[in-house]
Amino acid sequence: MGSKNKLKRFKENETFPNVIQPHRDEVLEGFKFKGNWASFFNNENPIVLELGCGKGEYTVGLAQKNSDKNFIGIDIKGARFWRGAKSAQELELNNVAFVRAQVELVDYLFEPGEVNEIWITFPDPQIKYKRTKHRLTNPLFLEKYKHILKPDGIVNLKTDSEFMHGYTLGLLQGLGCEILYSNHDVYKNEGSPAEVLEIQTFYENQYLEKAKPITYIQFRITN
């Protein structure tokens, strides 16, 4: 993407009422919507997050299917989620928001027990060992998710990376987490939830063209 296009998208994001772009200090020192997301959405509906949301396909797709829930996409790359924010505006979806922030700050954006469900869609698997701390399902991140999720809250991981799928599955089993569902090839093996099959991301379509299997795990962090 050219720098001119990025700048144009950054400017347009500033005009979208569904985009929140706090400075890092604002997040660390007391984010204004933490514990008060009802004031943003004007309702008390359950909150669902898409972490590392990219273009926001799941945030928008799930919002279209579930008007009784609020959906928040989080990503540091605003030029990417511009597409989701713009689509939500065009579709007149009032249950969608995008926050430009690093995923590791998620526990500064939400109070304990404020979130009902989390989606992690096609994250960078960070395969090198020295990059373990950046994997979005490593123990430190799982602890952050547990902190903001309700006691029965659910996490969904959808990825093309067999490494990420296996790493996460093994970690969850070792931690004694509750694995609700696991599938190493959702389009060949039956049983996956409808939203796993019916909503596809930009990157997912690229992987499918290359005949890469798409994996999925749904779990609760119960330890």
Side-chain angles (χ1 to χ4, degrees):
M1 184 190 303
S3 58
K4 287 186 178 180
N5 278 339
K6 279 189 177 181
L7 289 173
K8 181 180 177 181
R9 292 181 177 188
F10 288 144
K11 282 291 185 184
E12 196 164 4
N13 276 346
E14 293 175 2
T15 70
F16 291 153
N18 60 5
V19 171
I20 306 166
Q21 302 187 92
H23 293 294
R24 184 181 177 88
D25 288 346
E26 292 178 61
V27 175
L28 296 176
E29 294 173 8
F31 183 57
K32 64 180 179 179
F33 293 117
K34 181 179 180 180
N36 192 32
W37 280 98
S39 70
F40 180 88
F41 290 107
N42 295 314
N43 62 59
E44 299 278 353
N45 291 344
I47 292 174
V48 180
L49 308 183
E50 184 187 7
L51 302 180
C53 66
K55 295 176 183 290
E57 292 98 337
Y58 259 83
T59 300
V60 173
L62 290 170
Q64 287 181 282
K65 295 174 178 290
N66 302 275
S67 60
D68 59 340
K69 297 179 181 179
N70 298 321
F71 295 86
I72 303 173
I74 299 175
D75 205 302
I76 195 60
K77 296 184 178 178
R80 284 187 183 174
F81 70 59
W82 164 87
R83 178 64 270 170
K86 190 174 182 68
S87 294
Q89 287 291 105
E90 293 168 348
L91 293 167
E92 298 182 350
L93 296 173
N94 297 318
N95 60 334
V96 170
F98 287 91
V99 180
R100 186 168 183 261
Q102 294 170 308
V103 174
E104 54 260 40
L105 299 180
V106 68
D107 49 339
Y108 288 90
L109 299 172
F110 301 93
E111 287 282 3
E114 194 173 10
V115 174
N116 288 72
E117 188 171 0
I118 291 173
W119 282 82
I120 305 170
T121 52
F122 299 93
D124 187 331
Q126 307 287 359
I127 293 175
K128 291 184 179 180
Y129 178 76
K130 65 181 181 179
R131 301 290 297 176
T132 301
K133 65 180 181 179
H134 297 289
R135 291 177 198 152
L136 293 188
T137 57
N138 75 31
L140 292 177
F141 275 109
L142 292 181
E143 192 60 33
K144 289 177 182 286
Y145 306 155
K146 180 183 178 182
H147 182 71
I148 63 172
L149 280 167
K150 295 186 182 301
D152 60 346
I154 291 173
V155 182
N156 304 274
L157 171 66
K158 188 178 182 184
T159 176
D160 68 300
S161 170
E162 294 181 14
F163 168 82
M164 187 70 167
H165 180 82
Y167 165 81
T168 303
L169 200 58
L171 181 63
L172 295 173
Q173 290 169 339
L175 293 173
C177 294
E178 182 182 0
I179 299 170
L180 303 172
Y181 181 80
S182 177
N183 192 328
H184 67 274
D185 195 338
V186 299
Y187 294 107
K188 286 189 178 180
N189 303 321
E190 296 180 357
S192 294
E195 59 265 30
V196 173
L197 304 175
E198 294 172 1
I199 303 173
Q200 295 182 352
T201 73
F202 170 80
Y203 297 107
E204 181 174 359
N205 285 320
Q206 291 185 330
Y207 302 141
L208 289 172
E209 287 177 4
K210 298 176 182 178
K212 293 190 72 175
I214 305 300
T215 73
Y216 171 69
I217 308 172
Q218 184 182 75
F219 60 94
R220 287 194 180 100
I221 308 168
T222 52
N223 63 322

